[in-house]
């Protein structure tokens, strides 16, 4: 079902009270001529916050908008990186916990199996992080990564968030020594 609302903005009189309905807030938004009112509306409703932000973006110069978008991209990238770092930390904790539990086990073969599984888990986590950070990773880079030792995986995990470009990342992977 589609509803259409025709708003006659000039007929809207300024409210004497604080707007409570979405319609009143939007009408006030369209009629507002001062930044103070827009700031109040921005804090009262997430949708209006987005609308005010879009207006602020439209008022920016190209250089200001580029700087703003770069900052927002960087913040998003940092948040994403932190989320993956948390996943990596959890996985490491699980691997260590499993390794400790298995170390108490009876058979040495179980311990060796855990070591192989741990390596695979660490490798899988690193691959996911690398693909998230650099989605257009080349096949050669991927082939080199799957041959990494535990030490190489640990080393690259420490630096993956520092690479500024996909090329820098792929060059570092290509320069890494081959597994003995």
């Amino acid at each position: 079902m589609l509803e259409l609302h025709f708003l006659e903005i000039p007929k809207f009189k300024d409210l004497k009270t604080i707007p409570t309905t979405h319609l009143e807030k939007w009408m006030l938004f369209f009629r507002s001529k001062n930044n103070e009112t827009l700031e109040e509306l921005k804090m009262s409703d997430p949708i209006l916050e987005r609308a005010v932000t879009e207006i602020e973006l439209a008022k920016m110069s190209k250089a200001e908008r580029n700087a703003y978008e770069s900052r927002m991209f960087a913040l998003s990238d940092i948040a994403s990186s932190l989320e993956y770092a948390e996943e990596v930390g959890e996985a490491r904790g699980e691997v260590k916990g499993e390794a400790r539990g298995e170390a108490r086990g009876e058979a040495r073969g179980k311990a060796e199996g855990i070591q192989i599984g741990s390596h695979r888990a660490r490798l899988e986590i690193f691959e996911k992080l690398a693909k998230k950070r650099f989605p257009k990773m080349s096949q050669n880079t991927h082939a080199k990564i799957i041959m990494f030792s535990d030490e190489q995986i640990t080393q690259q995990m420490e630096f993956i968030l520092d690479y500024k470009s996909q090329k820098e990342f792929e060059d570092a992977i290509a320069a890494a020594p081959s597994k003995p």
Side-chain angles (χ1 to χ4, degrees):
M1 181 169 141
L2 176 70
E3 281 186 42
L4 295 176
H5 294 267
F6 293 94
L7 306 176
E8 295 184 49
I9 295 171
K11 290 183 179 179
F12 180 75
K13 303 293 181 206
D14 288 332
L15 293 173
K16 304 282 189 258
T17 61
I18 297 172
T20 54
T21 68
H22 287 293
L23 179 61
E24 288 174 347
K25 289 177 184 179
W26 277 106
M27 292 298 284
L28 186 58
F29 171 80
F30 288 122
R31 294 268 312 181
S32 177
K33 292 181 177 141
N34 64 47
N35 287 338
E36 185 179 308
T37 304
L38 288 176
E39 285 301 316
E40 288 175 15
L41 287 170
K42 185 176 174 180
M43 294 187 329
S44 72
D45 188 335
I47 295 170
L48 287 170
E49 178 180 9
R50 175 76 191 262
V52 171
T53 301
E54 291 299 323
I55 288 173
E56 290 168 352
L57 281 172
K59 290 178 182 178
M60 290 181 185
S61 70
K62 185 171 181 136
E64 290 172 325
R65 191 170 28 260
N66 287 341
Y68 173 83
E69 288 172 356
S70 293
R71 176 163 168 65
M72 295 310 291
F73 179 76
L75 291 174
S76 174
D77 194 35
I78 288 169
S80 179
S81 296
L82 289 174
E83 183 180 322
Y84 271 95
E86 187 176 291
E87 289 176 16
V88 168
E90 287 178 8
R92 284 182 180 172
E94 287 177 13
V95 168
K96 285 181 180 180
E98 288 175 14
R100 286 181 186 150
E102 290 297 328
R104 295 181 189 133
E106 297 175 21
R108 186 174 182 189
K110 286 183 180 180
E112 290 175 0
I114 289 171
Q115 186 178 12
I116 292 168
S118 171
H119 175 75
R120 287 182 183 159
R122 292 166 54 84
L123 181 60
E124 183 177 322
I125 290 166
F126 179 69
E127 283 180 296
K128 284 181 181 178
L129 183 59
K131 285 178 184 176
K132 175 69 176 174
R133 184 94 165 88
F134 305 105
K136 295 181 180 177
M137 181 171 45
S138 72
Q139 290 294 329
N140 290 343
T141 301
H142 183 264
K144 180 98 181 211
I145 288 172
I146 63 173
M147 299 305 293
F148 274 359
S149 66
D150 277 345
E151 184 180 322
Q152 289 172 307
I153 293 170
T154 300
Q155 182 183 23
Q156 289 301 323
M157 278 187 163
E158 291 176 11
F159 294 110
I160 192 160
L161 299 178
D162 296 334
Y163 295 120
K164 303 222 181 331
S165 68
Q166 183 166 333
K167 181 176 180 352
E168 183 181 357
F169 169 70
E170 293 194 354
D171 288 346
I173 297 299
S178 296
K179 187 167 141 179

